[in-house]
Amino acid sequence: SLPAKLINGGIAGLIGVTCVFPIDLAKTRLQNQQNGQRMYTSMSDCLIKTIRSEGYFGMYRGAAVNLTLVTPEKAIKLAANDFFRHHLSKDGKKLTLLREMLAGCGAGTCQVIVTTPMEMLKIQLQDAGRIAAQKKLMAAQAQLSSSSAAGAAEPVVETRTTATQITRELLRSKGIAGLYKGLGATLLRDVPFSIVYFPLFANLNKLGQKDPNVKAPFYVSFLSGCVAGSTAAVAVNPCDVIKTRLQSLQRGVNEDTYSGILDCTKKIWQKEGPMAFLKGAYCRALVIAPLFGIAQVVYFIGIAEFLLDMLPKHRA
């Protein structure tokens, strides 16, 4: 049933995001740093420096908005894919690869309604620590190079903002369109991702089914979700880099600003080289693999069906 699908998708998203959010934070910071202003050399370096400067919970900056909105986002994504697969199938026959890709395309298009503002707010909170750390480093360097105490730079104090404050400011200054900055880049990432992910998962999962009418074992669904998720994540990582850069409202010292997808692509290619489009790719693979593995296990086990079935019995 649709309510069960929505509940399953929501539970899957909550569990998955809680497990992998620190890696996602590292991905965002690695993707946003530009040549000449590099604060982190790798994912582990980013996480270690984050813990040292911001504490353990610094790795979960932006997690609240993500946990709040990931439930409807994952619910829409998984339920929409099932909806399109159902309506694209003919008399219960096996879907062709093209129809599976069309179903994935529909799911990816539907989810951006929630994904775009969620990513927009999450990125601001995740990247705030990197920008603050960069400013502190610049201030320390200026202080060391100054010849007298009078010329010393004043210490930089980070002013922490919340998702609610960012939302209010965006709505006040730009209206609802402010929350949907980077919508085109989000579509450019999520639609191809779903086109790759859902058919690949469905076909890998079928390999573990001894009977077409019986669900595959949970470990098959988990591994299928991991493989399909990491493959799709790496495939669309260039689009994710562009999306992250476009949705960042604040820039570090001497970092470029972008007017759109083409301008962003051109500047990254010219100033940072083609390999810059793979920044954070392994982090993204590490995020997406367990996230979708867990999501598919929860979704296919059907926790919601069990809970919904228990309600009438409990009342009785």
Side-chain angles (χ1 to χ4, degrees), residues 132-149:
Q134 189 186 88
K135 288 180 179 178
K136 288 179 183 177
L137 180 62
M138 296 292 287
Q141 290 173 346
Q143 188 173 5
L144 288 172
S145 62
S146 60
S147 56
S148 63

Side-chain angles (χ1 to χ4, degrees), residues 35-225:
N35 288 349
Q37 303 295 335
R38 295 173 65 86
M39 292 293 301
Y40 315 109
T41 58
S42 64
M43 180 187 74
S44 57
D45 181 56
C46 178
L47 293 176
I48 290 170
K49 288 179 178 177
T50 298
I51 293 172
R52 285 176 179 172
S53 61
E54 303 169 54
Y56 175 79
F57 290 104
M59 295 191 297
Y60 282 88
R61 292 182 70 168
V65 66
N66 212 31
L67 289 170
T68 301
L69 295 178
V70 75
T71 298
E73 189 247 8
K74 284 290 177 288
I76 290 171
K77 187 186 189 81
L78 296 172
N81 180 67
D82 271 6
F83 174 82
F84 287 116
R85 287 178 69 90
H86 174 73
H87 286 278
L88 285 169
S89 63
K90 293 183 177 179
D91 301 323
K93 293 181 180 178
K94 181 182 176 181
L95 283 174
T96 62
L97 180 60
L98 177 61
R99 287 176 180 268
E100 287 183 330
M101 293 172 71
L102 285 173
C105 178
T109 304
C110 290
Q111 78 169 85
V112 298
I113 298 169
V114 177
T115 302
T116 305
M118 178 183 75
E119 291 277 313
M120 177 74 177
L121 296 171
K122 182 191 73 171
I123 285 171
Q124 313 318 313
L125 298 171
Q126 285 183 328
D127 204 39
R130 180 188 71 90
I131 294 172
Q134 189 186 88
K135 288 180 179 178
K136 288 179 183 177
L137 180 62
M138 296 292 287
Q141 290 173 346
Q143 188 173 5
L144 288 172
S145 62
S146 60
S147 56
S148 63
E154 293 183 3
V156 176
V157 179
E158 181 187 356
T159 303
R160 295 204 175 194
T161 56
T162 65
T164 304
Q165 291 172 327
I166 296 170
T167 302
R168 286 176 180 170
E169 178 59 28
L170 285 171
L171 290 174
R172 185 190 63 79
S173 60
K174 299 181 180 180
I176 193 70
L179 290 173
Y180 280 87
K181 183 181 179 183
L183 174 61
T186 306
L187 279 167
L188 195 63
R189 181 198 68 172
D190 288 348
V191 172
F193 177 92
S194 295
I195 288 174
V196 173
Y197 172 77
F198 282 111
L200 182 56
F201 169 79
N203 285 282
L204 288 173
N205 198 55
K206 283 177 185 175
L207 296 176
Q209 289 179 279
K210 296 179 180 179
D211 187 331
N213 297 318
V214 178
K215 290 180 182 180
F218 79 93
Y219 65 86
V220 173
S221 293
F222 176 76
L223 292 174
S224 299

Side-chain angles (χ1 to χ4, degrees), residues 270-296:
Q270 291 177 343
K271 298 184 178 183
E272 301 175 57
M275 290 303 294
F277 291 104
L278 292 177
K279 282 184 176 181
Y282 67 97
C283 289
R284 183 161 164 76
L286 287 174
V287 168
I288 296 297
L291 179 60
F292 277 83
I294 293 167
Q296 291 294 1

